[in-house]
Amino acid sequence: MISTALKIPNARKVVQLLGGCTAETQLLILCDALTAGNVEPLVLAATEVGAHPITMQMMPSSHHGSALAPAIAAAMAASELIIGATVRNIAHTEARRNAQAKGARVIVLPESSDENFFLASGWQVDFEALRPQIDALAHALTEASTARVVSDLGTDITMSLAGRRGRSLNGFANTVDISAGYCLEASIAPVEGTANGRIVVNASIPGVALIESAPVEITFRDGLAVSIEGGREAKLFRELLESFDDPNVYNLGELGLGMNPMCTLDGTMLSDESVWGGFQLALGTSAYIGGTCKAAAHYDTVLTEATLELDGKAVFSGNRLLI
């Protein structure tokens, strides 16, 4: 068993550096039965600065983005800083959006049940040094009207970004965008109904599997995934989406780019979505990140070795940020 003392340094980064917690901060720490073992270092890190955190334990959600109980939502709306150390991601929920609308700052830590969670290599990144690069790419996404992602493996997809705001997930908690700990990225919700083309997912489908048997090829027409082909991972993903019995889960809900050079593909959500140069093309809900689609779930797909073009100009290619 990993001792709490080993977890404390990176728990401090969550609470004190990224969360900006002080003695006056009204801090709410959410957990579930599977993540309760990682709450103690967060509480200790908060008490070091004189804060008096409230912890709430809930039942694990059935899937990423599932609605939270009214009591949890009410507690979130009454808090200043929320740390969601849960198995399932609470980012794509009405409760999270409403809490931020009331002025709360939110840090989500999905899949934080592993006792090694606070020992992950991603925590060793220089958050402050990377912040300007992530902010710059988010700004470029905001300014762009169209996006195209292409790769030598066969990815070629275009979408409209007109009127949408790029999100800077630079790790630092704020009232506009979430923090996801060391999962650093710039992302945006494409305009619904505009994505056309194909993506070849060669890295990961977080929450489902690493891609090992064969790339997953997903074809989009007018914003919706119309086919998901490949090997074992494609079958798992196809069956998962079918289980929701909701046509909106096929919506292209997010375009993002991972920007943490300390992360590697390891099958966990925070690492896989944060790998430097890992392109995220998510299916499902976009309503809580600037879009309009509400679906039963939100699942990312991650592909690497691709190029991002904004309004016809390459801004990321060959693992290099070009702005």
Side-chain angles (χ1 to χ4, degrees):
M1 178 174 291
I2 305 299
S3 72
T4 298
L6 293 176
K7 301 177 182 180
I8 280 287
N10 289 326
R12 286 192 186 107
K13 291 181 180 180
V14 174
V15 175
Q16 300 173 17
L17 174 64
L18 303 181
C21 186
T22 68
E24 291 74 33
T25 302
Q26 296 179 41
L27 169 61
L28 173 66
I29 301 175
L30 296 177
C31 67
D32 54 47
L34 300 177
T35 62
N38 279 324
V39 169
E40 184 180 10
L42 293 170
V43 171
L44 291 174
T47 58
E48 285 180 347
V49 296
H52 300 279
I54 294 173
T55 63
M56 292 186 71
Q57 182 171 316
M58 61 184 188
M59 289 295 293
S61 299
S62 59
H63 56 267
H64 299 300
S66 57
L68 301 180
I72 298 293
M76 292 172 66
S79 302
E80 293 178 333
L81 174 63
I82 301 160
I83 300 175
T86 55
V87 171
R88 307 299 182 194
N89 194 357
I90 67 168
H92 302 277
T93 63
E94 191 77 24
R96 189 276 299 169
R97 184 171 69 173
N98 288 344
Q100 286 193 294
K102 292 181 179 295
R105 294 171 288 122
V106 178
I107 300 175
V108 298
L109 302 175
E111 298 182 347
S112 51
S113 55
D114 194 309
E115 66 174 357
N116 292 310
F117 178 77
F118 283 114
L119 304 184
S121 61
W123 292 115
Q124 304 311 311
V125 71
D126 188 335
F127 288 97
E128 292 171 320
L130 272 179
R131 187 175 190 171
Q133 297 179 58
I134 302 169
D135 291 350
L137 183 53
H139 178 72
L141 290 168
T142 299
E143 294 295 305
S145 296
T146 62
R148 181 187 183 199
V149 180
V150 296
S151 78
D152 290 341
L153 288 178
T155 293
D156 193 344
I157 187 168
T158 60
M159 65 206 73
S160 172
L161 307 180
R164 295 292 164 88
R165 183 185 63 84
R167 304 163 65 233
S168 178
L169 277 62
N170 54 37
F172 291 88
N174 58 84
T175 61
V176 178
D177 294 317
I178 61 165
S179 160
Y182 64 80
C183 186
L184 308 181
E185 63 180 80
S187 68
I188 196 168
V191 177
E192 291 73 17
T194 66
N196 286 283
R198 181 177 71 149
I199 64 174
V200 181
V201 182
N202 65 323
S204 173
I205 302 177
V208 179
L210 287 170
I211 306 303
E212 297 176 336
S213 63
V216 177
E217 300 185 11
I218 307 177
T219 300
F220 290 86
R221 185 177 304 126
D222 297 332
L224 298 175
V226 295
S227 72
I228 302 173
E229 305 295 335
R232 180 182 67 87
E233 295 82 12
K235 181 175 184 292
L236 288 172
F237 193 39
R238 192 166 55 244
E239 291 176 346
L240 172 65
L241 296 179
E242 289 171 354
S243 72
F244 293 114
D245 192 26
D246 177 5
N248 284 343
V249 298
Y250 299 98
N251 170 63
L252 182 64
E254 182 179 9
L255 164 66
L257 184 63
M259 300 187 73
N260 187 335
M262 301 302 293
C263 286
T264 59
L265 293 168
D266 63 8
T268 64
M269 178 178 293
L270 294 191
S271 288
D272 290 3
E273 294 185 17
S274 187
V275 166
W276 180 270
F279 284 75
Q280 303 158 33
L281 291 135
L283 277 68
T285 297
S286 64
Y288 307 124
I289 59 172
T292 61
C293 179
K294 291 186 178 182
H298 176 103
Y299 278 85
D300 286 87
T301 69
V302 180
L303 58 98
T304 59
E305 301 174 20
T307 295
L308 171 64
E309 298 176 1
L310 297 179
D311 293 338
K313 179 182 178 181
V315 297
F316 191 97
S317 183
N319 234 24
R320 291 195 308 125
L321 182 65
L322 304 177
I323 55 174

